[in-house]
Amino acid sequence: MMLHKPTYNIHPHIHTPLLGLMPCLQFWFILPGAMTFSEILDRVGSMGPFQYLHVTLLALPVLGIANHNLLQIFTATTPVHHCRPPPNASIGPWVLPLDPNGKPEKCLRFVHLPNASLPNDTQRATEPCLDGWIYNSTRDTIVIEWDLVCSSNKLKEMAQSIFMAGILVGGPVIGELSDRFGRKPILTWSYLMLAASGSGAAFSPSLPVYMIFRFLCGCSISGISLSTVILNVEWVPTSMRAISSTSIGYCYTIGQFILSGLAYAIPQWRWLQLTSSAPFFIFSLLSWWVPESIRWLVLSGKYSKALKTLQRVATFNGKKEEGKKLTIEELKFNLQKDITSAKVKYGLSDLFRVSILRRVTFCLSLAWFSTGFAYYSLAMGVEEFGVNIYILQIIFGGVDIPAKFITILSLSYLGRRITQSFLLLLAGGAILALIFVPSEMQLLRTALAVFGKGCLSGSFSCLFLYTSELYPTVLRQTGMGISNVWARVGSMIAPLVKITGELQPFIPNVIFGTTALLGGSAAFFLLETLNRPLPETIEDIQNWHKQVKKTKQESEAEKASQIIPLKTGG
């Protein structure tokens, strides 16, 4: 901490033609004495009361994100149903035709109302349910309200797909907006947008209007998740990133339990939709306390605001005097490299311009895709458990608790790369193992599915942290956005792959399991970020990659030098 002052005191008074004409040399001269942002954060309190409150404010809204992601499990359940009798039907038992399995048809009725005693006539003419359906359910759902059954049953899945499409579109769009306008405004706007669009969906007069509002819900969820990850990573010290990120992930798990309770207590889908959305109006107000990213403020040239923010954090952490010592000149000097890099505008194309960023983007994209792809393949098969939907939700939510706890330990001790790789490899293995377990062994199949889902939940937690640590600051939000897109693409394609089960029952699991194995293998080619400072510029990650290659070459050379004498001696 003392080393930067002599350099800083001398620097403002150096006025030589050489330094004036050679800014590159000037930059090289001051760099050794400059502090990194992590060191500046240490001065104002790297893990004090501010950070705990900051993470809490970011984590609370995540409780409600699970409600929206999984809401249609309860608001769009398809109850037992059958054709409604014609208005002119005679009084007596309403007899339905039987399907090939001997169960009453859900979508057909006899053309003529049969007598009470039905003769053994299996060739009797049938017709669709021209007068609607009768539903056997204590819940009020969009399926019942808009008759999304039989020929209209695909509209129910379309509603969920459109919601996922909103998340898909929101990722890169809001990622770009966040890099341009800042993390905090986008976070606040996303909270407000989710509250408004979610409440709008609760009052939708028709299915198309409901779908539009659900699409906007998806867009806003992308903004919330991306901004939450970035603001968490940039304000928490390196040693605590894994803990804070996984703690926020646990809020999503708890949210799944809350959703089950809310759905049980509120059987009307409109009230459940409104109850899940209204709290985000409050979160939008609370988000005004969340500070903007200092890195983004510096890169945007807003030095005064950056200084005031740091001083506010210092005061909150009981280091007011340290905060007063900071000046705009010192901030500029210490973050000179960030300021220089801000003159260059970055976008999606920069993710593919440099070789190491191409590798990171490709490997992370495959890992994100395979995680979302395999995760929703298991999530869509929850009915195989054979228990009611409330217990199903608790089981699938409960497995996240041990999974994420083990993930946080592995992230902190084994590293990000090994953790990410093995989580996907284990999930892929569990899905492939389902092929060889007969359907009669229901308990074993359920155990494998729960284990696989736990691994994939851990993979999501790891990916959010790992991705934010791999991309440099100037491209971090854009990289997070494009990576998240691939998870959403996977979640949208998963239902289509399920259809291949009509050809052969094992085909979907082969595709899901193999893709997870490929994602786990790709993660082995990423850089390890454990206990490393965040890269600020593209040059940082290039130098980091060169250092890793050099270390690897030296290690291989050392091994070779030990082997050669042995051969010579033989």
Side-chain angles (χ1 to χ4, degrees):
M1 201 67 67
M2 298 295 294
L3 294 177
H4 80 282
K5 288 187 177 179
T7 311
Y8 166 67
N9 290 334
I10 294 171
H11 167 69
H13 303 289
I14 294 179
H15 300 289
T16 68
L18 180 62
L19 290 180
L21 294 173
M22 300 183 64
C24 292
L25 179 60
Q26 180 183 8
F27 173 73
W28 173 86
F29 177 76
I30 65 173
L31 185 60
M35 292 189 297
T36 64
F37 176 72
S38 297
E39 291 172 320
I40 293 176
L41 192 60
D42 285 336
R43 288 183 63 181
V44 299
S46 60
M47 201 62 200
F50 160 78
Q51 277 77 14
Y52 288 109
L53 182 59
H54 177 70
V55 172
T56 300
L57 289 175
L58 292 177
L60 283 176
V62 177
L63 294 170
I65 298 297
N67 292 353
H68 282 273
N69 278 344
L70 306 172
L71 197 59
Q72 282 199 195
I73 291 177
F74 300 101
T75 62
T77 53
T78 303
V80 176
H81 56 277
H82 60 78
C83 292
R84 186 182 298 276
N88 58 352
S90 59
I91 299 175
W94 174 237
V95 182
L96 297 168
L98 303 179
D99 63 17
N101 296 322
K103 297 180 180 180
E105 281 281 2
K106 297 178 179 179
C107 302
L108 295 173
R109 70 183 189 186
F110 289 118
V111 173
H112 301 289
L113 188 65
N115 297 325
S117 56
L118 184 66
N120 292 327
D121 182 6
T122 58
Q123 302 301 318
R124 188 181 299 274
T126 58
E127 62 183 1
C129 302
L130 302 177
D131 298 289
W133 292 263
I134 293 176
Y135 298 95
N136 181 20
S137 175
T138 57
R139 291 197 65 84
D140 170 37
T141 69
I142 63 171
V143 173
I144 296 175
E145 181 157 342
W146 293 312
D147 288 330
L148 305 183
V149 293
C150 298
S151 60
S152 300
N153 65 345
K154 292 181 176 62
L155 294 176
K156 165 189 164 181
E157 303 302 331
M158 185 181 294
Q160 181 66 12
S161 295
I162 287 176
F163 169 75
M164 299 302 296
I167 299 178
L168 176 65
V169 172
V173 172
I174 294 181
E176 289 281 356
L177 290 174
S178 180
D179 283 338
R180 179 170 297 184
F181 298 108
R183 282 58 161 137
K184 178 180 176 178
I186 294 300
L187 180 65
T188 301
W189 177 80
S190 296
Y191 286 149
L192 194 58
M193 182 178 173
L194 182 57
S197 56
S199 300
F203 295 100
S204 298
S206 63
L207 182 61
V209 174
Y210 172 81
M211 289 181 175
I212 291 172
F213 280 122
R214 286 288 286 168
F215 177 85
L216 294 175
C217 286
C219 290
S220 54
I221 283 176
S222 265
I224 293 171
S225 58
L226 292 173
S227 298
T228 296
V229 170
I230 297 300
L231 287 171
N232 169 56
V233 167
E234 293 193 358
W235 274 108
V236 173
T238 304
S239 60
M240 296 297 292
R241 277 188 220 142
I243 296 174
S244 63
S245 297
T246 308
S247 298
I248 291 175
Y250 267 123
C251 288
Y252 185 88
T253 300
I254 297 170
Q256 296 180 55
F257 297 144
I258 294 174
L259 176 59
S260 296
L262 286 175
Y264 185 80
I266 307 173
Q268 298 83 15
W269 78 266
R270 291 183 183 273
W271 282 106
L272 180 58
Q273 177 80 44
L274 184 62
T275 303
S276 301
S277 305
F280 284 90
F281 284 113
I282 299 173
F283 295 142
S284 68
L285 296 176
L286 292 176
S287 67
W288 286 103
W289 190 91
V290 175
E292 181 58 90
S293 162
I294 294 297
R295 286 186 173 93
W296 183 85
L297 291 172
V298 169
L299 294 181
S300 302
K302 300 180 180 182
Y303 311 116
S304 298
K305 192 171 182 180
L307 180 62
K308 289 179 181 177
T309 302
L310 283 171
Q311 289 175 337
R312 180 161 68 95
V313 171
T315 301
F316 199 89
N317 281 338
K319 295 190 175 184
K320 187 175 182 179
E321 293 303 318
E322 282 293 331
K324 287 182 178 179
K325 293 178 183 177
L326 289 172
T327 63
I328 292 178
E329 291 74 17
E330 185 178 4
L331 198 61
K332 287 182 180 180
F333 169 59
N334 287 319
L335 299 177
Q336 182 67 44
K337 189 161 64 169
D338 301 270
I339 298 168
T340 303
S341 66
K343 297 176 182 178
V344 183
K345 300 299 180 183
Y346 298 94
L348 288 174
S349 60
D350 292 290
L351 296 179
F352 306 95
R353 183 169 56 85
V354 180
S355 60
I356 182 58
L357 282 175
R358 281 197 300 272
R359 184 207 290 187
V360 167
T361 301
F362 174 77
C363 293
L364 283 177
S365 295
L366 186 53
W368 276 98
F369 174 82
S370 59
T371 300
F373 188 57
Y375 181 92
Y376 283 96
S377 76
L378 294 175
M380 288 185 294
V382 292
E383 294 178 4
E384 298 174 6
F385 280 89
V387 291
N388 69 64
I389 56 176
Y390 306 105
I391 296 177
L392 286 176
Q393 189 57 40
I394 291 173
I395 291 174
F396 262 67
V399 71
D400 287 3
I401 295 176
K404 290 179 178 177
F405 178 73
I406 294 172
T407 298
I408 189 175
L409 292 178
S410 181
L411 286 172
S412 301
Y413 294 101
L414 297 180
R416 280 60 158 157
R417 184 176 62 176
I418 292 176
T419 301
Q420 183 59 61
S421 298
F422 276 99
L423 284 171
L424 281 174
L425 291 175
L426 289 171
I431 294 172
L432 290 175
L434 289 171
I435 300 172
F436 306 101
V437 180
S439 56
E440 294 79 17
M441 301 179 67
Q442 199 69 31
L443 184 61
L444 180 56
R445 291 181 64 85
T446 298
L448 285 171
V450 171
F451 175 77
K453 195 264 184 182
C455 290
L456 292 166
S457 295
S459 178
F460 268 124
S461 297
C462 182
L463 277 172
F464 271 109
L465 174 65
Y466 202 9
T467 304
S468 63
E469 290 181 333
L470 280 169
Y471 282 114
T473 300
V474 293
L475 282 168
R476 186 165 297 125
Q477 196 83 338
T478 303
M480 286 292 297
I482 199 66
S483 298
N484 223 272
V485 162
W486 286 108
R488 303 310 167 189
V489 169
S491 65
M492 292 178 67
I493 294 177
L496 302 178
V497 174
K498 283 279 187 180
I499 299 174
T500 62
E502 296 178 4
L503 302 175
Q504 288 292 340
F506 64 85
I507 291 179
N509 283 337
V510 170
I511 298 174
F512 292 130
T514 303
T515 304
L517 293 180
L518 288 174
S521 301
F524 277 115
F525 294 93
L526 293 169
L527 299 171
E528 179 55 67
T529 62
L530 180 63
N531 295 327
R532 283 196 63 91
L534 293 175
E536 306 287 350
T537 64
I538 292 177
E539 289 72 22
D540 281 349
I541 194 170
Q542 286 179 305
N543 293 334
W544 177 11
H545 182 226
K546 289 177 183 178
Q547 180 185 352
V548 171
K549 285 177 66 177
K550 182 179 178 181
T551 303
K552 185 177 180 181
Q553 290 172 353
E554 290 175 351
S555 177
E556 290 175 351
E558 184 179 351
K559 289 180 181 178
S561 64
Q562 293 174 351
I563 294 173
I564 291 173
L566 291 175
K567 290 183 176 180
T568 306

